[in-house]
Amino acid sequence: MTTETEITLTPVSLDEIKHLISERAIQGETVLLNMGPQHPSTHGVLRLLLELDGEEVVNCIPDVGFLHTGIEKNMEAKTYEKAAVMTDRLDYLNNLGNNLAYCMAIEKLADLDVPPRAQAIRVILTELQRISSHLVWLGTHALDMAAMSVFLYCFREREIILDIFEMCSGQRMMTTFFRPGGLWRDVPADFEAAVRKFIKLFPERVNEYERLLTKNPLFLRRTKGIGVLKPETALQYGVTGPMLRASGIAHDLRKAQPYSGYDQYDFDIPTFTDGDTYARYLVRVEEMRQSLRIVEQALNKLPLGPVRSNNRKYVPPPRSEIGVSMEALIHHFKLWTEGFTPPKGSVYVGVESPRGELGVYLESDGGPKPYRVHWRTPSFTNMQILPIIAKGHLVADLVVLIGTVDIVLGDVDR
Amino acid sequence: MGVEQKLGNMGVVTVKLEELVNWSRTNAMWPMLFGLACCAIEMMATQASNYDLSRFGMELMRASPRQSDLMIVAGRVTRKMAPVLRRLYDQMPDPKWVISMGDCASCGGVFNNYAIVQGVDEVVPVDVYVAGCPPRPEALIHGIVTLYEKVKGERIKDWA
Amino acid sequence: MNEHLQSIVQAFQERFGASTYEFRGEISLILRPEHIVAACQSLRDEHHFELLVEETAVDYWPEQTPRFHLVYRLRSLKHNLILGLRVPLDGNSPTAPSITSVYANANWFERELWDLFGIHFDGHPDLRRILMPYDWVGHPLRKDYPLGYEEVQFSFNFDEINVRKPYAQE
């Protein structure tokens, strides 16, 4: 069935946003300016309506939804396991983190065990993903301030991480490597060597980025004292992740409510008290180093053993069993045609994504498809802080502030 | 006895006008700096150091549609974004080309639902489709080279 | 269950007549719509639940009483606790009080709920569509709203769909 869709652009009328802009805009004293959805520094398809007094931002009204993909509705129409491919495409810089949250929600719902080896590999891969996400952030953030070389350096290292993902799963970005009850399969033999090589190489590379930016007077002028976020405002607006930590509140779900074996690893939560763009930069750079520490520890004590749960009601049997066991064949058939049916109930699982708390609310009605999936995405919540921190700054600083919130539009719009 | 021999080593090349124009178009094609979703990250990776798209005359991404020749639709096109996309396409000066990058832009991909336009070819005419979710940078480069082949085959009498 | 959480739950059962729902160690209080603002206020100011983690809804269509459940989740950084609140709402076009006066980030959550579920929030400062186009009809995440499936073009039905498919022209 093809639906004829009339494609027309419906602009926002002034009446609709009258309550958001100041009296001066209606009298024509300030200028209303549209920024986006196609703008090089909005990091995707974000639209901002700006009210400007000269160069100064009086008001900033974000207009999101240009990437609303209907993922939540689409997941309700698929079985639990098949819906996992949708999760990668939510926050496309943190694919494995999304997989992790979704798989943990199913595991909690179904009370499914995860073998220790799978948990350790999950930690290694999500931490590598965190580094790669921060690298994209750092590259584009610096690019917004016209520091082109940082972008090139960051993507050079990101490729090494993507090569590791590709080695494990065959895909660079949309891996769907984590499955309910463990991993899709074990990592290849040369995985450890590749990660070790990266661990050896990366600290020097972080120092290199820091040499380019941390004491760079131009960078300091653009970031110090820009977009100060007070801790009480941050809490009021539900800001999480590096933004909250840069405002002086050391809240990290990996420490507060350890999941997937994070309690076994020794790492710090970088916290700064300034709450400005520079502090947020420092937090994220330091987080890359801490993530690397976690990866190294997890790799050092990587246990041997299976990587998927043995619960045949949820996890398909291995290929070798199907040929010899009738029961395994039945399970395999049932799981791939009908899917598994977790008990009725609802769970919430939150994990620490590179941007903040990524949560999955999963409700089951006892059937093979999720009844309701809601993604509590960090960018959506953090995005609301942008009008507050942008107020009173110049338009040129607004570009930097969009970068510092570290939004991913796929994450905002879902 | 062509003109080449007459001119000798004077540094002159003779070529058909058609080929000259097409050659110059392919070697300085400016894509629009325009990313929608996941594929935009791979497009950035194609631009960055490892894959270095500037080898193909594309180091300059123009943020303004009025300065660009090529639109790479990188990512899923939603019903809310489609009119904007069409307007951007209309703002580009002729000649212009469109590459539909990735499954979502080409046919809707895994998202067959209310929010996503099932293929950007319903909104703008597409020259090259690149498959993959997201396509690897090599695949995008292959798509661009394929587009070059197409441009090189354009005929002067079709322009008017 | 944590002792501190136990005491809060007990206090709320007495004060608002809340019932509880527990599954896999997560506890939710089921409240009536008129109590939600007072409950959130009390949780934030008296019990240190500083963060509103999420606010969402579940549609139980074709059931009518209740048709929707509003789901709130609050986090306390001080006590390291998480608490859910559920508010059942009846009917096809329900209304609930807005909690934007208590938690500022409820603003966009409630706009999203209005957009995707059609739940109206009283006292919301800016209740507009947020994710869908401004002139969209319907609320997509409701269970009676179709997914919007479009037939996929394969080689066996290529021509048949091609006839109906609108392609853009120059």
Side-chain angles (χ1 to χ4, degrees), chain A residues 30-248:
Chain A
T30 52
V31 179
L32 283 178
L33 183 77
N34 179 58
M35 181 175 173
Q38 189 262 335
H39 190 279
S41 65
T42 51
H43 294 228
V45 282
L46 167 69
R47 180 172 175 227
L48 296 171
L49 261 165
L50 305 177
E51 187 189 336
L52 301 175
D53 183 7
E55 275 283 288
E56 195 187 304
V57 178
V58 181
N59 226 329
C60 158
I61 307 160
D63 181 10
V64 298
F66 287 93
L67 201 61
H68 175 61
T69 320
I71 286 180
E72 288 171 12
K73 182 98 176 169
N74 223 338
M75 284 177 87
E76 288 170 15
K78 289 178 181 288
T79 60
Y80 284 95
E81 185 133 8
K82 285 175 187 164
V85 295
M86 300 267 161
T87 62
D88 290 270
R89 284 139 183 99
L90 267 165
D91 177 352
Y92 40 81
L93 290 180
N94 182 33
N95 321 89
L96 286 160
N98 297 340
N99 284 172
L100 180 67
Y102 181 65
C103 292
M104 276 169 57
I106 294 179
E107 282 147 16
K108 193 169 178 185
L109 192 67
D111 207 7
L112 198 59
D113 61 305
V114 184
R117 183 175 171 83
Q119 289 203 342
I121 294 172
R122 278 178 175 190
V123 168
I124 294 173
L125 290 175
T126 18
E127 289 307 314
L128 286 175
Q129 182 86 70
R130 189 184 311 276
I131 294 174
S132 94
S133 168
H134 280 342
L135 282 174
V136 175
W137 166 80
L138 182 62
T140 49
H141 189 47
L143 196 62
D144 288 343
M145 293 178 233
M148 182 81 190
S149 43
V150 184
F151 171 76
L152 296 173
Y153 286 159
C154 288
F155 269 71
R156 180 185 61 189
E157 271 73 71
R158 183 171 178 266
E159 289 294 330
I160 304 173
I161 299 177
L162 292 192
D163 285 346
I164 294 173
F165 293 161
E166 194 179 3
M167 178 196 284
C168 300
S169 69
Q171 247 276 32
R172 281 158 58 89
M173 282 170 72
M174 309 302 170
T175 52
T176 326
F177 191 58
F178 303 162
R179 302 286 167 88
L183 309 173
W184 173 46
R185 61 177 185 191
D186 206 348
V187 288
D190 42 358
F191 170 78
E192 192 176 335
V195 179
R196 287 224 186 272
K197 202 174 148 201
F198 180 75
I199 293 171
K200 211 168 154 221
L201 164 142
F202 193 64
E204 182 43 42
R205 298 286 167 89
V206 183
N207 295 343
E208 197 176 348
Y209 314 141
E210 285 228 76
R211 273 203 298 280
L212 283 167
L213 292 174
T214 307
K215 285 179 185 156
N216 184 335
L218 289 173
F219 185 76
L220 289 173
R221 286 282 293 274
R222 291 299 299 273
T223 53
K224 273 222 153 164
I226 302 293
V228 178
L229 178 62
K230 292 197 185 72
E232 27 325 339
T233 323
L235 283 179
Q236 201 193 350
Y237 277 84
V239 171
T240 45
M243 289 199 71
L244 188 64
R245 295 195 277 276
S247 295

Side-chain angles (χ1 to χ4, degrees), chain C residues 41-77:
Chain C
Q41 191 86 48
S42 149
L43 281 170
R44 188 191 70 178
D45 296 340
E46 293 157 28
H47 303 288
H48 299 284
F49 281 86
E50 303 99 333
L51 277 179
L52 173 70
V53 174
E54 67 164 0
E55 179 177 352
T56 182
V58 188
D59 184 1
Y60 292 104
W61 183 80
E63 210 137 303
Q64 285 291 326
T65 46
R67 170 156 180 185
F68 295 99
H69 265 206
L70 280 177
V71 180
Y72 299 79
R73 207 160 302 278
L74 310 174
R75 190 185 284 284
S76 162
L77 303 188

Side-chain angles (χ1 to χ4, degrees), chain A residues 120-397:
Chain A
I121 294 172
R122 278 178 175 190
V123 168
I124 294 173
L125 290 175
T126 18
E127 289 307 314
L128 286 175
Q129 182 86 70
R130 189 184 311 276
I131 294 174
S132 94
S133 168
H134 280 342
L135 282 174
V136 175
W137 166 80
L138 182 62
T140 49
H141 189 47
L143 196 62
D144 288 343
M145 293 178 233
M148 182 81 190
S149 43
V150 184
F151 171 76
L152 296 173
Y153 286 159
C154 288
F155 269 71
R156 180 185 61 189
E157 271 73 71
R158 183 171 178 266
E159 289 294 330
I160 304 173
I161 299 177
L162 292 192
D163 285 346
I164 294 173
F165 293 161
E166 194 179 3
M167 178 196 284
C168 300
S169 69
Q171 247 276 32
R172 281 158 58 89
M173 282 170 72
M174 309 302 170
T175 52
T176 326
F177 191 58
F178 303 162
R179 302 286 167 88
L183 309 173
W184 173 46
R185 61 177 185 191
D186 206 348
V187 288
D190 42 358
F191 170 78
E192 192 176 335
V195 179
R196 287 224 186 272
K197 202 174 148 201
F198 180 75
I199 293 171
K200 211 168 154 221
L201 164 142
F202 193 64
E204 182 43 42
R205 298 286 167 89
V206 183
N207 295 343
E208 197 176 348
Y209 314 141
E210 285 228 76
R211 273 203 298 280
L212 283 167
L213 292 174
T214 307
K215 285 179 185 156
N216 184 335
L218 289 173
F219 185 76
L220 289 173
R221 286 282 293 274
R222 291 299 299 273
T223 53
K224 273 222 153 164
I226 302 293
V228 178
L229 178 62
K230 292 197 185 72
E232 27 325 339
T233 323
L235 283 179
Q236 201 193 350
Y237 277 84
V239 171
T240 45
M243 289 199 71
L244 188 64
R245 295 195 277 276
S247 295
I249 298 172
H251 171 63
D252 189 321
L253 283 179
R254 290 175 294 174
K255 278 265 195 236
Q257 297 184 337
Y259 52 88
S260 203
Y262 268 109
D263 43 349
Q264 308 162 26
Y265 311 119
D266 176 33
F267 62 100
D268 304 326
I269 309 173
T271 314
F272 290 84
T273 47
D274 295 348
D276 59 355
T277 306
Y278 188 64
R280 291 190 276 271
Y281 157 79
L282 290 176
V283 165
R284 289 193 178 109
V285 169
E286 190 52 37
E287 264 185 21
M288 289 201 265
R289 293 207 177 92
Q290 296 301 331
S291 290
L292 206 68
R293 268 179 76 189
I294 301 174
V295 171
E296 192 169 10
Q297 291 170 46
L299 201 62
N300 283 343
K301 48 183 176 187
L302 185 64
L304 290 173
V307 291
R308 265 197 112 163
S309 158
N310 234 347
N311 190 337
R312 289 280 167 264
K313 293 286 169 227
Y314 292 96
V315 178
R319 191 76 227 163
S320 54
E321 254 178 56
I322 294 173
V324 289
S325 156
M326 189 64 206
E327 203 183 346
L329 188 67
I330 294 169
H331 279 142
H332 179 87
F333 182 76
K334 284 289 266 184
L335 281 173
W336 290 114
T337 51
E338 192 193 321
F340 52 77
T341 50
K344 199 174 164 172
S346 65
V347 291
Y348 174 84
V349 167
V351 301
E352 186 75 23
S353 100
R355 272 157 280 282
E357 176 172 352
L358 174 76
V360 185
Y361 171 78
L362 191 63
E363 180 152 340
S364 155
D365 61 347
K369 292 173 180 175
Y371 190 76
R372 170 94 174 101
V373 192
H374 176 256
W375 288 86
R376 186 266 182 219
T377 47
S379 304
F380 186 76
T381 325
N382 291 2
M383 189 57 209
Q384 294 184 60
I385 207 74
L386 184 65
I388 318 266
I389 58 176
K391 204 159 272 184
H393 285 299
L394 302 179
V395 181
D397 291 331

Side-chain angles (χ1 to χ4, degrees), chain B residues 133-154:
Chain B
C133 189
R136 297 178 57 88
E138 288 98 328
L140 179 62
I141 292 174
H142 176 72
I144 287 166
V145 173
T146 312
L147 181 72
Y148 285 177
E149 293 302 317
K150 185 179 174 179
V151 172
K152 279 179 186 157
E154 283 183 6

